Amino acid sequence: NNQIDDEVQKFSRTALTHSSQALQHAGALMSLTGRFSVEELRTLDLSSRAKWLALVKQHALGLRTNIVLLQRELGEALGQHRTDVFAEPSIEDDAVLIQTVNRLFTTASAIDQSVRATLSLSNNPGSAAKIKAAQFWRSLAIAEDLASKLASIK
């Protein structure tokens, strides 16, 4: 019985860690995009813009990695599979980049909230339904897609 409890606690800690780290990367992306207006981004010199984009890509990749690991952990435990979503539009300019980061932060926040509600120590009836719902799995797929697009911007 203790071994089962230990495995459940380990699983919960791992999933909560991935969810939390994804949200931290999303917060860092919000901070990075909040530093400059679209006009200010247009006027950055090439070196400064390259450094800024490198940070955006780094956090987008970190977020994507944690979302993929969270999908794997939860998917294996719940017998769920990755949900495909319609491809998000490509990021053509700074305004779309900022909108993408905003959407990604909102999505990562909702994912983290669902994971925390489900895996917290409290016995909240029906909370497990949140991470079994199709919307939750769509959110994971959307977050992965948006983060991938941010990680590959030029």
Side-chain angles (χ1 to χ4, degrees):
N1 220 4
N2 282 344
Q3 184 180 359
I4 292 171
D5 289 344
D6 290 347
E7 289 298 317
V8 168
Q9 286 181 353
K10 179 182 174 193
F11 165 79
S12 293
R13 274 193 311 272
T14 301
L16 288 165
T17 297
H18 291 312
S19 178
S20 175
Q21 288 179 350
L23 184 57
Q24 287 174 9
H25 284 293
L29 286 166
M30 285 291 288
S31 178
L32 283 167
T33 58
R35 286 187 187 157
F36 303 105
S37 69
V38 173
E39 187 56 41
E40 289 169 328
L41 286 171
R42 282 190 201 116
T43 62
L44 284 178
D45 63 75
L46 290 176
S47 174
S48 297
R49 182 167 177 83
K51 289 176 187 173
W52 181 80
L53 278 176
L55 289 170
V56 168
K57 290 178 178 185
Q58 176 186 350
H59 285 291
L61 187 58
L63 191 153
R64 183 187 178 281
T65 299
N66 279 284
I67 289 294
V68 167
L69 292 171
L70 180 61
Q71 282 176 324
R72 185 177 306 142
E73 287 285 324
L74 295 177
E76 289 174 3
L78 301 172
Q80 297 279 348
H81 301 287
R82 186 184 186 287
T83 301
D84 289 323
V85 294
F86 292 109
E88 297 293 327
S90 60
I91 299 170
E92 299 294 330
D93 59 38
D94 293 333
V96 175
L97 186 151
I98 291 169
Q99 290 170 352
T100 301
V101 167
N102 289 336
R103 184 165 178 219
L104 187 54
F105 181 78
T106 300
T107 303
S109 295
I111 290 167
D112 188 64
Q113 187 176 36
S114 293
V115 170
R116 291 199 176 287
T118 302
L119 299 179
S120 67
L121 295 176
S122 65
N123 285 333
N124 184 359
S127 63
K130 289 181 180 185
I131 64 170
K132 290 182 179 179
Q135 177 59 44
F136 176 79
W137 291 90
R138 267 193 304 279
S139 293
L140 286 171
I142 288 168
E144 180 184 353
D145 188 52
L146 292 174
S148 292
K149 287 202 173 19
L150 285 170
S152 64
I153 56 175
K154 305 239 184 295

